[in-house]
Amino acid sequence: MKRFEDVVVVVTGASRGIGRAIAERFAHEGARVACVATSEANAAATAEATGGKAYGLDVSDTAAVETVFGQIEADFGKIDVLVNNAGMTRDTLALRMKEEDWDRVIDVNLKGTFNCSKAVLKGMMKARKGRIINISSVVGLHGAAGQVNYSASKAGLIGLTMSLAKEVGSRGITVNAVAPGFIETDMTAELTEEMRAHVIKTAPLGRLGEGADIAGVVAFLATEDAGYVTGQVLTVDGGLTL
Ligand code: NAP
């Protein structure tokens, strides 16, 4: 039997990069996957690859989250696992950062995670089980010049993870965060060759990560084997921040 047979997983930011790898991993192990991106069209290829269903949604839009998650529950009958992976950057030095760059990144990365988590909680509490896995970042733990908005959003996710874990643990729901290092996706495509070389030289494992490196850890956190793990931040960075 596959690990996630009869398990319903929602992955936000599933159109590409880490989110797509996570959706594919869950589907490969038997899960039914709801694939969320900013538009249904963007999520369509992942939905096709996973045999799942595509949904379009801006995770920062509270009303839209309520509507779409209601639709997902109606389509699949339940939600067992939520992976809050949707995220974005608007990098620049703090002195040059516009208010709208701050607001947008916090809204999508942090409020979006709150919105989606809130939307699944009622069903999970009723079922007395559930898994919420938030994709933070090593930057949320260690900071990065040019990313005050992004790192604040990712650090905020860690506080959210710990607080929510305390709120819902008695209902059999675990809440954990994964903090990736540098993973090869569109988000890191703009890294200079110099930065790339630095990561490869500094990380004990000597390479950038791939989506599959994160997907395997996220999948583990959704298994019974991780049933006694909650409120934790798991760094997956090839040892870069050691
Ligand atoms: P990516 O390739 O840029 O993909 C971002 C995903 O998020 C896309 O599916 C995008 O959908 C979706 N998204 C963006 N804004 C959204 C919104 N407002 N509502 C709904 N969906 C939205 O990013 P990635 O590198 O795979 O990163 C995935 C997650 O890992 C992010 O949270 C990121 O912060 C985190 N992370 C990445 C790295 C890394 O090195 N790559 C490191 C640490 C943490 P569309 O396709 O529709 O735009």
Side-chain angles (χ1 to χ4, degrees):
M1 186 170 148
K2 292 184 169 178
R3 283 202 295 186
F4 299 117
E5 227 148 83
D6 195 38
V7 171
V8 175
V9 182
V10 181
V11 181
T12 68
S15 57
R16 49 203 164 92
I18 295 171
R20 179 159 181 158
I22 292 169
E24 288 181 350
R25 178 66 185 255
F26 275 111
H28 183 69
E29 297 204 50
R32 293 190 288 144
V33 187
C35 307
V36 178
T38 56
S39 71
E40 197 180 316
N42 285 1
T46 309
E48 204 184 324
T50 58
K53 201 166 178 335
Y55 299 87
L57 171 65
D58 175 351
V59 292
S60 71
D61 180 340
T62 307
V65 169
E66 280 170 16
T67 305
V68 170
F69 274 72
Q71 189 58 52
I72 294 172
E73 268 187 326
D75 291 345
F76 288 84
K78 60 173 183 169
I79 297 171
D80 299 297
V81 179
L82 167 65
V83 184
N84 284 307
N85 166 79
M88 61 173 294
T89 52
R90 278 199 190 164
D91 296 351
T92 190
L93 294 172
L95 266 177
R96 287 192 206 130
M97 190 173 287
K98 297 194 179 91
E99 183 182 357
E100 69 213 50
D101 296 330
W102 171 269
D103 286 346
R104 185 65 185 146
V105 169
I106 299 287
D107 267 4
V108 171
N109 297 2
L110 187 53
K111 186 169 133 190
T113 296
F114 168 69
N115 283 343
C116 297
S117 301
K118 196 170 170 198
V120 300
L121 276 181
K122 251 195 207 148
M124 286 184 179
M125 285 173 105
K126 212 165 147 208
R128 301 195 76 82
K129 67 176 173 120
R131 296 291 161 88
I132 298 175
I133 299 151
N134 300 321
I135 307 301
S136 177
S137 168
V138 291
V139 160
L141 291 163
H142 302 279
Q147 292 198 309
V148 292
N149 50 358
Y150 181 76
S151 60
S153 75
K154 294 298 183 178
L157 276 185
I158 292 170
L160 183 158
T161 298
M162 292 176 177
S163 297
L164 192 56
K166 289 185 176 185
E167 285 188 22
V168 299
S170 64
R171 303 300 186 97
I173 303 165
T174 68
V175 189
N176 290 290
V178 173
F182 283 99
I183 311 300
E184 301 264 21
T185 69
D186 293 350
M187 197 178 266
T188 47
E190 284 163 23
L191 277 186
T192 61
E193 271 316 308
E194 206 183 337
M195 284 163 86
R196 223 166 251 279
H198 171 76
V199 172
I200 291 166
K201 194 168 158 233
T202 314
L205 293 182
R207 63 174 176 87
L208 273 77
E210 292 167 11
D213 292 316
I214 306 304
V217 175
V218 169
F220 163 69
L221 287 170
T223 63
E224 288 301 318
D225 285 342
Y228 201 52
V229 180
T230 198
Q232 301 305 304
V233 185
L234 214 46
T235 295
V236 186
D237 69 347
L240 179 68
T241 56
L242 276 176

